[in-house]
């Protein structure tokens, strides 16, 4: 799985977060998406990589601006995992 963290400009409230989350869910098959207007970021967990240009287009069509995109491998922390 991949964790994609987007830094987004323009989110001011919970409704802004919902707009971004809904746009991502409609456009892509994702495991989880959550946004925070106070942090100015959206975090997406997905099995398949999503192209940066496609992500930007979907987010910017909602009226917000993507400032950065960071991708990293994601492994769910198991209750019984060692480490």
């Amino acid at each position: 799985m991949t964790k994609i963290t987007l830094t987004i400009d323009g989110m001011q409230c919970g409704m802004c977060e919902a707009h971004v989350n809904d746009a991502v869910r409609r456009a892509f098959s994702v495991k989880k998406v959550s946004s925070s207007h106070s942090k100015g970021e959206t975090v997406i967990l997905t099995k398949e990589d999503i192209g940066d240009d496609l992500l930007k287009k979907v987010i910017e069509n909602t009226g917000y601006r993507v400032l950065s995109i960071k991708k990293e491998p994601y492994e769910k922390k198991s209750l019984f995992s060692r480490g």
Side-chain angles (χ1 to χ4, degrees), residues 21-68:
N21 292 347
D22 290 345
V24 169
R25 283 190 196 102
R26 277 195 307 270
F28 311 107
S29 175
V30 298
K31 281 288 200 189
K32 182 178 179 185
V33 58
S34 61
S35 297
S36 167
H37 70 278
S38 58
K39 291 182 182 177
E41 72 178 23
T42 295
V43 177
I44 301 168
L45 297 180
T46 180
K47 283 187 176 180
E48 297 173 20
D49 190 27
I50 301 169
D52 292 5
D53 291 341
L54 217 47
L55 271 171
K56 273 186 160 182
K57 183 179 177 186
V58 166
I59 302 292
E60 292 181 355
N61 281 344
T62 62
Y64 307 101
R65 196 161 60 104
V66 177
L67 302 177
S68 70

